Structure formats: C-alpha cells, structure tokens
Amino acid sequence: VSTLTPEEAAAELSKVGITIDNTAVTTEESADVEEGRIIRTDPPAGTEVSQGDVIKIVVSGGPNDVSVPPVAGLVQEDALSLLTRVEYAFDVRVMEENSDTIAAGTAIRTDPVSGSIVQKGAPVVLYVSKGPEQVAMPALVGLSEGQARNLLADLGLIADVKYEVVRSEEHTSELQSPYVISYAVFCLKK
C-alpha cells in the first residue's frame, strides 16, 4: 500500500479483510513521497497478516510537515521526550492545569491537538495535570451547621457531618440549632 493515499489503501485492504487503524495514523516529513501518500505500514510490507488484522500507516506530510503525536496519559518527562525527538523537534512550552480525573504530572493534551499537521520544530503547548484543585479551608467554628454547609458548598466541597452532644460551661446544649465547635478536614472536591 506504499505510495497510495490512505483512502486508496483502505479500499484495497478491505478487499482482503484488513483495516487501517485510523486513530493511529501518523504523518512525517518526506522529500521522496508525495504529500498525503503512505510512506510505510506497521507491520511492514511483506509481513504476513490475517483477515481481521488492523495495520497502522505513516503518511507523508511533504517536506518538514509532521503530525503532533498523541501524548495524553504519558508522564510529563515521557511526553516532553517524545515531542522533542529529532523527527518532531517541537518547541515545547509546558502549562499546568487542575484535573480531578488525571494524576498530577500526567500529560492531558497538546495544542495543537494530536494528529494536527504542523511544521517540524513548531511551537507546541503541552498541558500537564496539577491534580485536583486545592482550596483554602475556611474557619467554620462558631457557624451554624447550615452556614458551614453553605460555605463549603460554595467552594465545591461536601460536608460529612458528625453530631456530638457537648455539655460544658463553654458550650451549652441549649443552643437553638447545632453549631460547629470543631472539625476535621476530610473534604473532597465535588
């Protein structure tokens, strides 16, 4: 399928029950292969494959054009290493952002997005997770339960209330409604 377009290759390969993995198509510069045509496949040409197998392709972006590789899920060091390899040589700037679902130090995405065709050495922003957003815990002692819950909800936190009867000179049990007299921080962001 070398030198065919991806569409031509997909049509030819479908005749023998083989498909192209469209989520893993990469592009790299080539002065020898016309832009938009296949340079090579994985597995390589000549390798025996079976019906139902899926292959990956590398498409020519013409001279100096490359595809931004996927880095989501890689640790920052590995993502940087990939983006700055000789075949890409991207000028990478790292930006951090909070994520409740992606561990700190893990690549979230790039800008331009993975799969975009750009010039070799182009500027690329790598977004890396800082983990969940941190919030400053407000003072709750002396607030009513409702006030404390509302204040926490405004910060995106959920209160897990434990009730305790307290009788002392400092705190009487004759209060109209429960008041916060102490708290422990076990809050998770919503």
Side-chain angles (χ1 to χ4, degrees):
V1 294
S2 288
T3 72
L4 297 178
T5 66
E7 295 77 20
E8 293 167 343
E12 288 297 313
L13 291 170
S14 70
K15 293 177 186 175
V16 291
I18 299 171
T19 57
I20 294 173
D21 182 354
N22 289 319
T23 64
V25 174
T26 56
T27 304
E28 64 183 51
E29 67 181 271
S30 174
D32 302 326
V33 178
E34 182 183 338
E35 184 175 354
R37 301 221 171 246
I38 297 173
I39 297 172
R40 66 179 175 280
T41 61
D42 181 19
T47 304
E48 286 192 34
V49 293
S50 303
Q51 268 191 329
D53 282 355
V54 177
I55 66 166
K56 297 177 183 177
I57 60 173
V58 177
V59 177
S60 172
N64 288 323
D65 287 344
V66 293
S67 174
V68 177
V71 296
L74 297 178
V75 295
Q76 178 177 339
E77 181 180 305
D78 292 345
L80 273 171
S81 177
L82 177 60
L83 294 169
T84 56
R85 284 191 348 202
V86 141
E87 61 264 34
Y88 303 114
F90 292 130
D91 178 15
V92 181
R93 181 172 54 118
V94 176
M95 299 287 293
E96 292 185 321
E97 65 183 26
N98 294 107
S99 173
D100 292 337
T101 58
I102 299 174
T106 303
I108 300 171
R109 67 180 184 284
T110 57
D111 183 19
V113 298
S114 102
S116 298
I117 307 300
V118 297
Q119 287 278 318
K120 179 178 179 178
V124 171
V125 179
L126 170 63
Y127 290 91
V128 176
S129 174
K130 292 195 298 187
E133 182 180 358
Q134 302 292 309
V135 296
M137 189 65 187
L140 302 175
V141 173
L143 299 178
S144 71
E145 177 184 347
Q147 290 169 322
R149 283 183 183 273
N150 288 339
L151 186 55
L152 293 173
D154 289 346
L155 295 172
L157 302 173
I158 301 169
D160 180 15
V161 178
K162 304 285 186 241
Y163 295 96
E164 189 176 311
V165 176
V166 177
R167 297 179 195 277
S168 73
E169 289 179 23
E170 187 178 339
H171 303 285
T172 68
S173 61
E174 299 173 13
L175 296 172
Q176 296 285 355
S177 62
Y179 281 80
V180 177
I181 58 168
S182 69
Y183 59 92
V185 179
F186 297 103
C187 299
L188 297 175
K189 194 93 165 115
K190 284 184 191 173

